[in-house]
Amino acid sequence: QWVAVACEDDERWAVLATEVGRADLAPLSTAQRLAARDELDAVMAAWTAGQDGCALVARLQAIGVAAHTVDNSAACLADPQPAHRGHYVTVEHPYIGPIMIEGPRFRLSRTPGRVDRPGPLYGEHAFEIMTDLLGYDAEQIAAIAEAGGLG
């Protein structure tokens, strides 16, 4: 399982380099790390390969290094935090029935977002866009339709 690791400063990098067993890399500055990113990516990939993602995350977080597993769709759906926050909602799709989609990312007290329908179907709002936004009249729209421009 992929693990995202981030060092916010040189101090966190030194902690990570020591944990990886590469104390020789600890003194590298941000600029030096960026210049050697391919080599450092290979070092990190070799070190993380074969490790349990959740155990590695716990280990790195315990020493103050930001880390989190990169979850696939099934893991995201099983995560209790988004479920607790009502992040996933079920809406009715006109062709396939009920589908689960992501809800708003933020919960605002005075202006709460909501998702109550799926995304639009192909061409669903074409008439409104052509008339209200583009200012086309019925004759122009008919000409576009006759030319095959509406799908």
Side-chain angles (χ1 to χ4, degrees):
Q1 181 177 22
W2 287 91
V3 173
V5 179
C7 294
E8 64 187 41
D9 55 31
D10 292 340
E11 182 182 341
R12 292 297 97 206
W13 167 254
V15 169
L16 176 62
T18 302
E19 182 69 19
V20 171
R22 293 293 308 267
D24 60 305
L25 300 174
L28 295 178
S29 67
T30 301
Q32 291 170 316
R33 293 193 306 272
L34 287 172
R37 74 176 139 247
D38 290 340
E39 175 193 343
L40 297 176
D41 283 348
V43 168
M44 291 302 298
W47 180 69
T48 58
Q51 293 196 51
D52 176 76
C54 291
L56 180 58
V57 165
R59 187 168 141 201
L60 291 176
Q61 288 180 356
I63 61 171
V65 175
H68 197 281
T69 55
V70 178
D71 294 336
N72 60 24
S73 296
C76 288
L77 287 171
D79 188 328
Q81 184 62 26
H84 169 74
R85 295 187 54 78
H87 181 70
Y88 298 105
V89 295
T90 300
V91 296
E92 189 69 25
H93 188 279
Y95 294 135
I96 59 176
I99 59 169
M100 184 180 293
I101 61 174
E102 291 185 82
R105 303 289 193 279
F106 304 99
R107 298 186 102 180
L108 305 174
S109 58
R110 290 189 292 168
T111 55
R114 71 181 195 291
V115 175
D116 55 9
R117 63 184 180 274
L121 301 173
Y122 178 73
E124 181 176 349
H125 300 110
F127 184 78
E128 291 87 348
I129 291 169
M130 288 189 288
T131 56
D132 299 345
L133 187 64
L134 299 176
Y136 291 178
D137 62 26
E139 288 180 17
Q140 289 172 303
I141 296 171
I144 292 170
E146 191 172 310
L150 296 181

